[in-house]
Amino acid sequence: MAPWGYSKENGPATWHKDCPIANTGVRQSPIDLITTGQTCAKYDSNLKPVIVSYPAFSEATFLNNGHSVQFQPSAGNLSELSGGPLTKKYKFEQFHFHWGNNDSEGSEHRVNGKMYPAELHLVHWNSESPNFSSFQEAVGSNDPHALCVLGFFLKVGAENASLKPITDLLSKVKNAGSSVSFPGKFDLKAVLPETLTDYYTYDGSLTTPPLAECVKWIVFKEPIEVSTAQMEAFRAVDDGHGKPITGNYRPPCPLHTRTVAASFK
Ligand SMILES: NS(=O)(=O)c1ccc(C(=O)NCc2ccc(F)cc2F)cc1
C-alpha cells in the first residue's frame, strides 16, 4: 500500500488496512475534549504544573517528512519533562506541527468540537524505564506511558517572535524529504506560556501510524498565538506529490471507557 498520508487515497480512513489498531484500538488519539456534560473532563486537584527543562538547542535538524515538519535535536540534547500527571522524567525527542488549509481547521485535538488552525506536539519518552532506553524502543514497548506528548493549540493573532526562526525556515524545507541543519540556537522554552498549569490529560496514542497506544497526552488550554503570515508559511510546505500539505490532522477518535482529567476548574 502507498505510504500513509492525508489524501483520500491514503488518509486516516484507510490507515486501518496497514494498522488495524486504527479501528480496533480503545485508546486512540486525538479526541474531542468535552468540557461540559456526561463524558466531560473531570477536574483533578492533584494535578500539578508541568515542569520543562529546555536549555536552548544548539544542534538540530529541521525536516519535511512529507506529512509534517519536524525539529529534531541531536541525540545529546538534555531537555527534560516532569511534573503534571507524570511520575517519571521524560527526555525530549522532537517537536512537529499539524495544520489545516484555513483558520477553521488544522488541530488534531478539539475543544467542544472546536478546531484551532494548528497544533504543536512536543514529543518525549520515559527515560527512567528499565524496559527501554531509546525513543524507538519506547514506542514499541507496549508501556501505556512510554511517551508523553505536550499539545499546544495555535491560534491566529500577533506574530510569534519565538517561533519565527521556525516559520522562517519552512520555505527552506518546501520539498518533502528535504531537511536543513538548524542555524544557531533555538529556545523552545520561549515559545511556551510561562505557567504550564492549565491542561487536559488522558491516555492515548500516536496520531499517525503506527498509532501505538503508548502516549500520556497533556493538551494545554491556552493557545499560542501566531500571525496569519506564519500560518500561511505552513500551508506552503509540500507533501511529496507536488501538492501542499493542506490538512495533516487525524479526526477525533472514540473515547471508549477513558476519562479526561483537567488540572483546572
Ligand atoms: N502526532 S504524535 O505526536 O502523536 C506522533 C509523535 C511521534 C511519531 C513518530 O515518531 N513516528 C515515527 C516513529 C519513529 C520511530 C518509531 F519507533 C516509531 C515511530 F512511529 C508519530 C506521531
Side-chain angles (χ1 to χ4, degrees), residues 29 70 93-94 96 98 108 121-123 135-137 139-140 147 149 205-211 215 217:
S29 293
Q70 186 164 305
E93 174 68 18
Q94 51 104 328
H96 64 273
H98 299 264
E108 297 217 286
H121 287 159
L122 310 184
V123 182
F135 173 76
Q136 283 72 11
E137 284 176 4
V139 176
L147 303 188
V149 183
S205 72
L206 298 180
T207 65
T208 64
L211 302 171
V215 183
W217 274 96

Side-chain angles (χ1 to χ4, degrees), residues 236-257:
V237 170
D238 283 353
D239 65 359
H241 305 282
K243 290 196 293 108
I245 297 175
T246 58
N248 53 353
Y249 58 92
R250 187 191 191 189
C253 305
L255 194 57
H256 290 290
T257 60

Side-chain angles (χ1 to χ4, degrees), residues 35-73:
T35 65
T36 56
Q38 244 38 44
T39 67
C40 79
K42 191 167 170 353
Y43 172 59
D44 176 351
S45 59
N46 299 319
L47 285 172
K48 301 184 288 297
V50 169
I51 301 164
V52 292
S53 166
Y54 289 159
F57 298 109
S58 50
E59 246 179 69
T61 301
F62 190 59
L63 72 123
N64 169 353
N65 54 30
H67 41 84
S68 184
V69 289
Q70 186 164 305
F71 179 98
Q72 183 108 25

